[in-house]
mmCIF file of all heavy atoms in Angstrom:
data_model
loop_
_atom_site.group_PDB
_atom_site.id
_atom_site.type_symbol
_atom_site.label_atom_id
_atom_site.label_comp_id
_atom_site.label_asym_id
_atom_site.label_seq_id
_atom_site.Cartn_x
_atom_site.Cartn_y
_atom_site.Cartn_z
ATOM 1 N N ALA A 308 -32.588 -4.908 -108.274
ATOM 2 C CA ALA A 308 -32.924 -6.192 -107.525
ATOM 3 C C ALA A 308 -34.231 -6.066 -106.748
ATOM 4 O O ALA A 308 -34.712 -7.140 -106.255
ATOM 5 C CB ALA A 308 -31.755 -6.432 -106.640
ATOM 6 N N GLU A 309 -34.648 -4.882 -106.385
ATOM 7 C CA GLU A 309 -35.902 -4.815 -105.462
ATOM 8 C C GLU A 309 -35.567 -5.571 -104.209
ATOM 9 O O GLU A 309 -36.497 -6.149 -103.506
ATOM 10 C CB GLU A 309 -37.144 -5.314 -106.107
ATOM 11 C CG GLU A 309 -37.478 -4.642 -107.417
ATOM 12 C CD GLU A 309 -38.583 -5.257 -108.084
ATOM 13 O OE1 GLU A 309 -39.353 -6.152 -107.521
ATOM 14 O OE2 GLU A 309 -38.987 -4.843 -109.213
ATOM 15 N N ALA A 310 -34.297 -5.455 -103.603
ATOM 16 C CA ALA A 310 -34.049 -6.042 -102.372
ATOM 17 C C ALA A 310 -34.191 -5.147 -101.221
ATOM 18 O O ALA A 310 -34.320 -3.988 -101.400
ATOM 19 C CB ALA A 310 -32.528 -6.521 -102.475
ATOM 20 N N THR A 311 -34.447 -5.796 -100.090
ATOM 21 C CA THR A 311 -34.613 -5.044 -98.765
ATOM 22 C C THR A 311 -33.423 -5.207 -97.886
ATOM 23 O O THR A 311 -33.285 -4.488 -96.936
ATOM 24 C CB THR A 311 -35.795 -5.479 -98.053
ATOM 25 O OG1 THR A 311 -35.736 -6.975 -97.774
ATOM 26 C CG2 THR A 311 -37.079 -5.268 -98.876
ATOM 27 N N GLN A 312 -32.542 -6.187 -98.260
ATOM 28 C CA GLN A 312 -31.145 -6.446 -97.469
ATOM 29 C C GLN A 312 -30.157 -6.826 -98.437
ATOM 30 O O GLN A 312 -30.354 -7.391 -99.500
ATOM 31 C CB GLN A 312 -31.450 -7.551 -96.466
ATOM 32 C CG GLN A 312 -32.276 -7.193 -95.378
ATOM 33 C CD GLN A 312 -32.484 -8.307 -94.359
ATOM 34 O OE1 GLN A 312 -31.808 -9.417 -94.469
ATOM 35 N NE2 GLN A 312 -33.194 -8.109 -93.231
ATOM 36 N N ARG A 316 -19.211 -9.401 -98.482
ATOM 37 C CA ARG A 316 -18.313 -10.259 -97.627
ATOM 38 C C ARG A 316 -16.902 -10.226 -98.499
ATOM 39 O O ARG A 316 -16.909 -10.530 -99.714
ATOM 40 C CB ARG A 316 -18.715 -11.681 -97.630
ATOM 41 C CG ARG A 316 -20.000 -11.838 -96.790
ATOM 42 C CD ARG A 316 -20.355 -13.323 -96.867
ATOM 43 N NE ARG A 316 -21.587 -13.472 -96.052
ATOM 44 C CZ ARG A 316 -22.441 -14.600 -95.997
ATOM 45 N NH1 ARG A 316 -21.896 -15.760 -96.776
ATOM 46 N NH2 ARG A 316 -23.593 -14.691 -95.452
ATOM 47 N N ILE A 329 -24.137 -10.092 -101.806
ATOM 48 C CA ILE A 329 -25.445 -10.984 -101.586
ATOM 49 C C ILE A 329 -26.656 -10.166 -101.317
ATOM 50 O O ILE A 329 -26.473 -9.156 -100.543
ATOM 51 C CB ILE A 329 -25.120 -11.947 -100.484
ATOM 52 C CG1 ILE A 329 -23.805 -12.739 -100.498
ATOM 53 C CG2 ILE A 329 -26.277 -12.855 -100.291
ATOM 54 C CD1 ILE A 329 -23.354 -13.314 -99.361
ATOM 55 N N ASP A 330 -27.662 -10.368 -101.995
ATOM 56 C CA ASP A 330 -28.992 -9.669 -101.678
ATOM 57 C C ASP A 330 -30.142 -10.574 -101.674
ATOM 58 O O ASP A 330 -30.052 -11.823 -102.048
ATOM 59 C CB ASP A 330 -29.157 -8.510 -102.793
ATOM 60 C CG ASP A 330 -29.560 -9.188 -104.039
ATOM 61 O OD1 ASP A 330 -30.616 -9.701 -104.186
ATOM 62 O OD2 ASP A 330 -28.758 -8.985 -104.983
ATOM 63 N N ASN A 331 -31.369 -10.069 -101.125
ATOM 64 C CA ASN A 331 -32.421 -10.932 -101.085
ATOM 65 C C ASN A 331 -33.509 -10.464 -102.031
ATOM 66 O O ASN A 331 -34.791 -10.629 -101.666
ATOM 67 C CB ASN A 331 -33.053 -10.887 -99.530
ATOM 68 C CG ASN A 331 -33.588 -9.432 -99.120
ATOM 69 O OD1 ASN A 331 -33.250 -8.521 -99.894
ATOM 70 N ND2 ASN A 331 -34.314 -9.416 -98.167
ATOM 71 N N GLY A 332 -33.001 -10.014 -103.203
ATOM 72 C CA GLY A 332 -34.000 -9.466 -104.016
ATOM 73 C C GLY A 332 -34.595 -10.521 -104.975
ATOM 74 O O GLY A 332 -34.591 -11.694 -104.751
ATOM 75 N N ARG A 333 -35.090 -10.061 -106.169
ATOM 76 C CA ARG A 333 -35.819 -10.894 -107.024
ATOM 77 C C ARG A 333 -34.846 -11.790 -107.807
ATOM 78 O O ARG A 333 -35.421 -12.705 -108.546
ATOM 79 C CB ARG A 333 -36.697 -10.071 -107.994
ATOM 80 C CG ARG A 333 -35.949 -9.239 -108.917
ATOM 81 C CD ARG A 333 -36.815 -8.262 -109.743
ATOM 82 N NE ARG A 333 -36.216 -7.373 -110.569
ATOM 83 C CZ ARG A 333 -35.714 -7.717 -111.792
ATOM 84 N NH1 ARG A 333 -35.863 -8.974 -112.369
ATOM 85 N NH2 ARG A 333 -35.132 -6.824 -112.558
ATOM 86 N N GLY A 334 -33.666 -11.539 -107.716
ATOM 87 C CA GLY A 334 -32.721 -12.417 -108.525
ATOM 88 C C GLY A 334 -32.641 -12.125 -109.947
ATOM 89 O O GLY A 334 -33.587 -11.403 -110.542
ATOM 90 N N ILE A 335 -31.623 -12.648 -110.681
ATOM 91 C CA ILE A 335 -31.458 -12.387 -112.041
ATOM 92 C C ILE A 335 -31.392 -13.584 -112.932
ATOM 93 O O ILE A 335 -31.158 -13.567 -114.107
ATOM 94 C CB ILE A 335 -30.218 -11.481 -112.388
ATOM 95 C CG1 ILE A 335 -28.951 -12.236 -111.855
ATOM 96 C CG2 ILE A 335 -30.321 -10.160 -111.772
ATOM 97 C CD1 ILE A 335 -27.694 -11.561 -112.094
ATOM 98 N N ALA A 337 -30.610 -18.013 -112.712
ATOM 99 C CA ALA A 337 -29.428 -18.906 -112.897
ATOM 100 C C ALA A 337 -28.753 -18.980 -114.154
ATOM 101 O O ALA A 337 -27.668 -19.357 -114.313
ATOM 102 C CB ALA A 337 -29.668 -20.246 -112.163
ATOM 103 N N GLU A 365 -24.885 -16.537 -108.844
ATOM 104 C CA GLU A 365 -25.727 -17.605 -108.369
ATOM 105 C C GLU A 365 -27.111 -17.068 -107.975
ATOM 106 O O GLU A 365 -27.073 -15.961 -107.306
ATOM 107 C CB GLU A 365 -25.120 -18.296 -107.276
ATOM 108 C CG GLU A 365 -23.766 -18.952 -107.607
ATOM 109 C CD GLU A 365 -23.135 -19.676 -106.320
ATOM 110 O OE1 GLU A 365 -23.606 -20.793 -105.924
ATOM 111 O OE2 GLU A 365 -22.259 -19.128 -105.734
ATOM 112 N N SER A 366 -28.257 -17.821 -108.146
ATOM 113 C CA SER A 366 -29.523 -17.543 -107.645
ATOM 114 C C SER A 366 -29.904 -18.572 -106.652
ATOM 115 O O SER A 366 -30.451 -19.575 -107.206
ATOM 116 C CB SER A 366 -30.391 -17.285 -108.738
ATOM 117 O OG SER A 366 -30.120 -16.124 -109.429
ATOM 118 N N PRO A 367 -29.645 -18.482 -105.243
ATOM 119 C CA PRO A 367 -30.008 -19.585 -104.490
ATOM 120 C C PRO A 367 -31.425 -19.847 -104.416
ATOM 121 O O PRO A 367 -32.373 -19.007 -104.827
ATOM 122 C CB PRO A 367 -29.700 -18.929 -103.068
ATOM 123 C CG PRO A 367 -28.607 -17.831 -103.385
ATOM 124 C CD PRO A 367 -29.127 -17.250 -104.608
ATOM 125 N N VAL A 368 -31.895 -20.973 -104.005
ATOM 126 C CA VAL A 368 -33.243 -21.511 -104.019
ATOM 127 C C VAL A 368 -34.153 -20.544 -103.023
ATOM 128 O O VAL A 368 -35.241 -20.253 -103.285
ATOM 129 C CB VAL A 368 -33.465 -22.906 -103.464
ATOM 130 C CG1 VAL A 368 -34.801 -23.324 -103.358
ATOM 131 C CG2 VAL A 368 -32.768 -23.929 -104.428
ATOM 132 N N SER A 369 -33.414 -19.992 -101.938
ATOM 133 C CA SER A 369 -34.113 -19.227 -101.086
ATOM 134 C C SER A 369 -34.386 -17.705 -101.650
ATOM 135 O O SER A 369 -34.990 -17.014 -101.081
ATOM 136 C CB SER A 369 -33.200 -18.940 -99.780
ATOM 137 O OG SER A 369 -32.041 -18.575 -100.072
ATOM 138 N N GLY A 370 -33.794 -17.376 -102.848
ATOM 139 C CA GLY A 370 -34.174 -16.151 -103.452
ATOM 140 C C GLY A 370 -32.882 -15.174 -103.366
ATOM 141 O O GLY A 370 -31.799 -15.530 -102.687
ATOM 142 N N GLY A 371 -32.909 -14.232 -104.173
ATOM 143 C CA GLY A 371 -31.870 -13.168 -104.146
ATOM 144 C C GLY A 371 -30.716 -13.690 -105.085
ATOM 145 O O GLY A 371 -30.861 -14.459 -105.899
ATOM 146 N N THR A 372 -29.625 -12.910 -105.007
ATOM 147 C CA THR A 372 -28.485 -13.162 -105.873
ATOM 148 C C THR A 372 -27.200 -13.178 -105.069
ATOM 149 O O THR A 372 -27.064 -12.416 -104.128
ATOM 150 C CB THR A 372 -28.419 -12.129 -106.961
ATOM 151 O OG1 THR A 372 -29.647 -12.039 -107.624
ATOM 152 C CG2 THR A 372 -27.212 -12.329 -107.857
ATOM 153 N N VAL A 373 -26.234 -13.967 -105.489
ATOM 154 C CA VAL A 373 -24.879 -13.948 -104.956
ATOM 155 C C VAL A 373 -23.904 -13.765 -106.086
ATOM 156 O O VAL A 373 -23.895 -14.627 -107.003
ATOM 157 C CB VAL A 373 -24.595 -15.243 -104.188
ATOM 158 C CG1 VAL A 373 -23.150 -15.259 -103.562
ATOM 159 C CG2 VAL A 373 -25.574 -15.600 -103.046
#
Side-chain angles (χ1 to χ4, degrees):
E309 299 177 7
T311 58
Q312 292 181 358
R316 297 176 182 172
I329 307 164
D330 69 71
N331 66 346
R333 62 185 179 85
I335 57 176
E365 300 177 72
S366 291
V368 176
S369 58
T372 303
V373 178

